[in-house]
Amino acid sequence: MNQLLKLSAVSLITIGSFSVQAGIFHSDTLKDVQAKGSLTCGVSTGTPGFSSPDSSGHWSGIDVDVCRAVAAATLGDAMKVKFVPLTAKERFVALSSGEIDMLSRNTTWTHTRDTSLGLTFAGVNYYDGQGFMVKKALGVNSVKELDGASFCIQAGTTTELNLADYFRSNKMEFKAVTYDTSAQTKGGFEADRCDALTSDVSQLAGLRSTLKDPSSAVVLGDVISKEPLGPVVRKDDNTWLNIVRWSLNAMIEAEELGVTSATIDDASTSPGIQRLQGKSGKLNESLGLSKDWSRNIIAQVGNYGESFERNIGMSTPIQLPRGVNQLWLKGGILYAPAFR
Amino acid sequence: MFTKLKSLLNNNEVRAIVFQILAVVVIAYFAYQAFDNLMLNIEQRGIRSGFGFLNDEAGFAVNDNFFLDYSPASTNLQAFYVGIVNTLIVAITGIFFASVLGLIVGISRLSSNYLIRKIATVYIEIFRNIPILLQILFWYSIALSTFPSPKNSINFFDSIFLNSRGLYLPKPIMESGFFFVLASLVIGIVAYIFIKKRSNKKHDETGVVTNTTVYFLGLVLLLPSVVYFAFGVQLEYPMLKGFNFRGGVDLSIEFFSLAFALSIYTATYIAEAIRSGIESVDSGQKEAASAMGLTQTQSLRLVVLPQALRVAIPPIINQYLNLTKNSSLAAAVGYTELVTIFSGTVLNVVGQAIEIIILTMLVYLTISLVISLILNIFNKKMQIKGK
Ligand SMILES: N[C@@H](CCC(=O)N[C@@H](CS)C(=O)NCC(=O)O)C(=O)O
């Protein structure tokens, strides 16, 4: 009888504590990150120019730079990032389960992802669209000529859905061979399992540059969807959302102000630049960050244009033009809300 | 009243029952609380919940689809069904070939022929010790690089084609009497089994052996063929149009690679189970069989194997279950079975991990239970016969 009492008491306590946990869930990612001393950032398993590791394990790319910007803002050190490579299928669960603090992995901002996964998009760091890469030997010049073709695609992407939509609305037939990682997708294309590989245009350029024989494939001119790619955070932490959003905005704002990593510490009389330098204004307070947060981002990571040119610009093997990802002042659609 | 209750509580049997009921109630309450808490948390985080997503449009294409109606306009529920069917088909195919191969290799391991024995041993040692995922990837890349492109397909009588993307077969068109052909085949097989049983019985009772080959040819082959020609069944032939073959049935190269790898791998375990089964049969049994004038094959088929299987079946059941579970490694080569379609693509489109994982687990649980059940029944039958 005694034992039974003990047992019941223990189970009641357990149940009790369980129910207490169900109270309002509130998380403080900033505090967690600062306590850990590093930012855990979800990236791709390897997308040249966006997020890919070099042979010594050093990550780079424009998605990686967003992680680094957030680390610079919150920890004062852009190098204090732990990268977690994720396939398209794994990424959202990794974020909502708390395995990573933020996701910066060529992820398209869609209605469903923004509203029903318990996640929120913090902005757009690259405006993309879905394109096609085909074997040159096929002699195909447009997607319209691909009726009945097979496509290598990656599971868990918007690519899967856009492809089906496009062929349905054009009353064309197709076959999809769906792999888990981009390496497998590329492998299927190289082994001629499919006639074309389809993905975000920006990634096609990178993938093509890593083919055994890049000249054997061409990227078609057609773009069949819009893919605004950006960083994602959990919905339950508004401060953290603001930190990630404004870290990205700081990079865009700096380019607009003509401030680079080389000139951020130069004395300036411009109120805008002074705010970015942390010399005036109180933009840091509502974010819970130190005054030099945006200065650290620009000094350690650079402005958006620097990051772009360094990772995917014309001087890199990816050779992407700025296109719509140019500042709004220069004919593009890149636009940071007012920095004041 | 109170003393009565007390004496009741002191009764061992009553106490045992009361405690068990209490334990169940506590566990059930705990599970309920945990689930409730989970759902609350999910709601608070703004994650969609419930099973309504099953009726939403799937929106994606599926590569392997054997006979169900499916297109990107179908619902997630239909995608779920396609996943289940594809899992079952690859598992059944794998189980069949693994059993046949395993039986042959298991017997060969005990062969008196040195070469055969060694080949069987080497095969088992190699394929049992390489992780199954690597084997799947290996056979897939072999298949992709050895078979020709669609334009240079291996052509069998202009109706069957094999290339690096799959095997293309003619498809019978259902309406035009295909049903009758199928029905006559089933009737033929059932009738043949009946005749075979009668002849076995006659053999047991009188020792007279009747040759049933004629019946087999007539009932199982001739009857359906006659019906086939009588109805003039129409076949839809695969044809190379543009980039790929269209029409007919296609079995993707991913399906073959996966089924092949699963069979080759699981056969090694089945072979070992068969071998240990055979070794467990007392050698006196074999000696007695040959003393009675049975040939080697007869002794194996009639005396040794029935007793060996009794020992071998429980481990073989486990291997069948393992094979079914291993089929979920399909994602690596892009064969669209349950895990790839449902906990892969659908989960990513709708984001409801909990519901989707629960449904997926239920399917695997059911398949496992059914396999265990069938083989346990079989096992029981063997046991009684042996005693
Ligand atoms: N932007 C699309 C597609 C993103 C995507 O995963 N693209 C593939 C292209 S093959 C990729 O980057 N894979 C890299 C990886 O799996 O690590 C989405 O958000 O669904």
Side-chain angles (χ1 to χ4, degrees):
Chain A
M1 209 57 192
N2 225 343
Q3 236 172 346
L4 183 72
L5 274 177
K6 246 191 232 159
L7 187 78
S8 336
V10 169
S11 25
L12 278 179
I13 290 167
T14 330
I15 292 167
S17 54
F18 232 94
S19 327
V20 170
Q21 264 190 16
I24 293 300
F25 197 92
H26 193 81
S27 53
D28 191 342
T29 315
L30 175 61
K31 213 165 102 195
D32 296 346
V33 167
Q34 287 175 337
K36 275 188 301 185
S38 73
L39 172 79
T40 314
C41 197
V43 289
S44 78
T45 60
T47 308
F50 282 73
S51 48
S52 66
D54 64 14
S55 51
S56 60
H58 178 85
W59 286 83
S60 63
I62 65 162
D63 286 347
V64 163
D65 280 352
V66 176
C67 305
R68 295 207 187 281
V70 174
T74 54
L75 300 165
D77 185 349
M79 300 313 278
K80 287 190 174 157
V81 187
K82 256 176 58 196
F83 293 100
V84 178
L86 299 165
T87 67
K89 257 162 68 171
E90 297 160 345
R91 56 185 155 175
F92 299 120
V93 176
L95 181 59
S96 56
S97 70
E99 187 190 338
I100 53 176
D101 300 316
M102 61 178 284
L103 177 72
S104 184
R105 183 210 172 280
N106 45 35
T107 298
T108 305
W109 187 344
T110 70
H111 178 282
T112 311
R113 290 174 178 175
D114 204 23
T115 59
S116 60
L117 303 188
L119 309 175
T120 299
F121 280 78
V124 175
N125 69 332
Y126 190 90
Y127 289 94
D128 211 340
Q130 184 173 335
F132 296 82
M133 175 162 76
V134 296
K135 288 265 155 69
K136 204 177 247 165
L138 290 179
V140 167
N141 296 312
S142 139
V143 197
K144 292 266 160 53
E145 295 165 42
L146 288 173
D147 190 12
S150 336
F151 296 85
C152 285
I153 54 177
Q154 197 171 337
T157 57
T158 46
T159 315
E160 279 190 282
L161 306 173
N162 295 329
L163 180 67
D165 276 5
Y166 182 84
F167 277 75
R168 249 161 94 191
S169 52
N170 286 289
K171 304 213 163 41
M172 304 196 318
E173 277 183 47
F174 77 103
K175 278 274 184 187
V177 190
T178 314
Y179 298 98
D180 258 4
T181 66
S182 60
Q184 290 166 347
T185 313
K186 192 179 84 180
F189 178 70
E190 280 189 311
D192 215 12
R193 174 61 183 92
C194 45
D195 304 296
L197 186 155
T198 171
S199 178
D200 299 345
V201 176
S202 65
Q203 287 143 49
L204 292 180
L207 278 174
R208 183 170 171 273
S209 71
T210 59
L211 288 179
K212 278 182 210 109
D213 176 14
S215 63
S216 68
V218 283
V219 175
L220 300 179
D222 311 71
V223 175
I224 63 163
S225 72
K226 49 184 181 190
E227 310 286 327
L229 312 178
V232 198
V233 295
R234 282 180 292 277
K235 200 167 231 141
D236 62 14
D237 190 345
N238 222 32
T239 311
W240 185 248
L241 166 66
N242 285 332
I243 290 172
V244 175
R245 171 180 292 156
W246 285 96
S247 295
L248 174 57
N249 284 340
M251 292 176 72
I252 299 171
E253 178 76 7
E255 187 181 10
E256 205 177 308
L257 293 170
V259 177
T260 66
S261 52
T263 62
I264 179 73
D265 289 331
D266 294 357
S268 166
T269 50
S270 147
I273 295 179
Q274 285 188 353
R275 276 197 293 277
L276 200 64
Q277 289 171 327
K279 289 183 180 149
S280 74
K282 290 180 174 164
L283 297 185
N284 61 311
E285 277 178 10
S286 51
L287 298 177
L289 299 174
S290 62
K291 254 187 154 346
D292 56 358
W293 70 280
S294 47
R295 180 250 155 217
N296 288 343
I297 295 177
I298 308 306
Q300 298 179 15
V301 186
N303 69 30
Y304 181 86
E306 287 180 272
S307 169
F308 192 103
E309 293 308 330
R310 181 170 65 228
N311 295 303
I312 52 178
M314 293 313 259
S315 61
T316 65
I318 322 250
Q319 296 194 357
L320 288 172
R322 279 299 284 267
V324 289
N325 293 292
Q326 184 57 271
L327 290 178
W328 62 288
L329 292 169
K330 298 186 183 161
I333 56 174
L334 212 65
Y335 189 109
F339 212 73
R340 56 168 66 251
Chain B
M1 169 76 188
F2 194 71
T3 42
K4 215 172 172 187
L5 196 73
K6 210 171 164 189
S7 73
L8 208 61
L9 265 180
N10 281 336
N11 179 327
N12 258 345
E13 248 168 69
V14 175
R15 266 177 76 151
I17 292 174
V18 168
F19 282 6
Q20 281 179 31
I21 291 175
L22 265 176
V24 169
V25 168
V26 167
I27 290 171
Y29 181 68
F30 189 73
Y32 170 77
Q33 278 292 334
F35 189 73
D36 204 49
N37 189 18
L38 182 76
M39 284 300 153
L40 201 76
N41 268 329
I42 283 178
E43 212 171 291
Q44 272 174 4
R45 290 176 180 213
I47 302 176
R48 192 180 154 191
S49 62
F51 288 91
F53 73 91
L54 286 173
N55 296 320
D56 295 351
E57 186 179 279
F60 60 91
V62 164
N63 195 22
D64 302 86
N65 184 11
F66 295 90
F67 48 80
L68 295 180
D69 234 0
Y70 180 87
S71 78
S74 305
T75 62
N76 286 323
L77 186 66
Q78 281 168 297
F80 179 56
Y81 292 150
V82 172
I84 297 178
V85 168
N86 290 356
T87 290
L88 287 176
I89 287 180
V90 78
I92 291 169
T93 313
I95 285 175
F96 177 78
F97 287 105
S99 306
V100 173
L101 190 63
L103 184 66
I104 295 171
V105 176
I107 294 171
S108 308
R109 263 210 82 166
L110 298 169
S111 163
S112 48
N113 181 319
Y114 175 82
L115 191 64
I116 292 180
R117 203 167 61 228
K118 271 293 157 229
I119 291 177
T121 312
V122 168
Y123 160 74
I124 290 176
E125 289 308 325
I126 289 179
F127 288 99
R128 202 172 52 163
N129 292 315
I130 299 175
I132 175 69
L133 182 60
L134 286 184
Q135 294 194 37
I136 296 172
L137 292 170
F138 173 75
W139 293 118
Y140 185 52
S141 66
I142 293 279
L144 281 186
S145 52
T146 30
F147 293 123
S149 69
K151 294 218 162 53
N152 307 312
S153 297
I154 305 170
N155 179 339
F156 303 93
F157 314 110
D158 271 340
S159 46
I160 299 175
F161 302 88
L162 177 66
N163 60 47
S164 67
R165 297 182 180 180
L167 177 70
Y168 299 79
L169 305 164
K171 180 161 98 183
I173 296 170
M174 287 291 178
E175 301 94 74
S176 55
F178 176 72
F179 171 77
F180 292 100
V181 179
L182 205 67
S184 64
L185 181 69
V186 172
I187 293 173
I189 290 175
V190 171
Y192 174 70
I193 290 174
F194 184 70
I195 290 173
K196 179 83 191 167
K197 274 222 158 118
R198 270 241 316 247
S199 101
N200 280 354
K201 203 168 147 206
K202 192 163 144 206
H203 175 224
D204 285 349
E205 282 164 2
T206 63
V208 181
V209 180
T210 15
N211 194 338
T212 54
T213 319
V214 187
Y215 294 103
F216 179 79
L217 291 177
L219 287 168
V220 181
L221 296 179
L222 198 62
L223 180 69
S225 314
V226 168
V227 177
Y228 174 94
F229 285 112
F231 279 95
V233 164
Q234 298 236 317
L235 291 176
E236 179 193 292
Y237 290 97
M239 275 225 291
L240 185 62
K241 243 170 81 190
F243 301 94
N244 283 305
F245 280 88
R246 303 205 204 171
V249 191
D250 71 89
L251 302 171
S252 72
I253 204 75
E254 288 77 24
F255 167 75
F256 281 111
S257 313
L258 181 66
F260 190 76
L262 289 174
S263 311
I264 296 277
Y265 175 74
T266 313
T268 61
Y269 288 92
I270 293 182
E272 285 298 85
I274 300 267
R275 183 190 60 117
S276 65
I278 293 178
E279 278 178 340
S280 77
V281 177
D282 195 284
S283 60
Q285 295 276 330
K286 258 176 272 176
E287 283 159 19
S290 61
M292 283 175 73
L294 295 188
T295 65
Q296 270 231 323
T297 342
Q298 278 176 329
S299 139
L300 186 68
R301 198 165 61 87
L302 300 170
V303 178
V304 179
L305 270 188
Q307 299 182 70
L309 283 182
R310 222 171 58 193
V311 175
I313 277 177
I316 291 178
I317 297 175
N318 271 328
Q319 291 314 319
Y320 287 177
L321 295 178
N322 280 345
L323 186 146
T324 309
K325 285 181 252 167
N326 282 339
S327 74
S328 63
L329 292 171
V333 291
Y335 173 66
T336 42
E337 44 67 73
L338 184 63
V339 170
T340 317
I341 295 182
F342 203 58
S343 13
T345 299
V346 174
L347 195 158
N348 260 276
V349 175
V350 303
Q352 293 180 243
I354 305 210
E355 290 85 347
I356 287 174
I357 298 296
I358 287 179
L359 283 177
T360 311
M361 288 197 315
L362 275 180
V363 172
Y364 278 97
L365 184 68
T366 313
I367 295 177
S368 294
L369 288 177
V370 169
I371 293 181
S372 313
L373 189 73
I374 293 174
L375 282 145
N376 277 331
I377 292 172
F378 187 60
N379 201 11
K380 238 182 209 141
K381 235 175 107 183
M382 298 297 282
Q383 299 281 10
I384 293 164
K385 228 198 224 158
K387 290 240 165 90

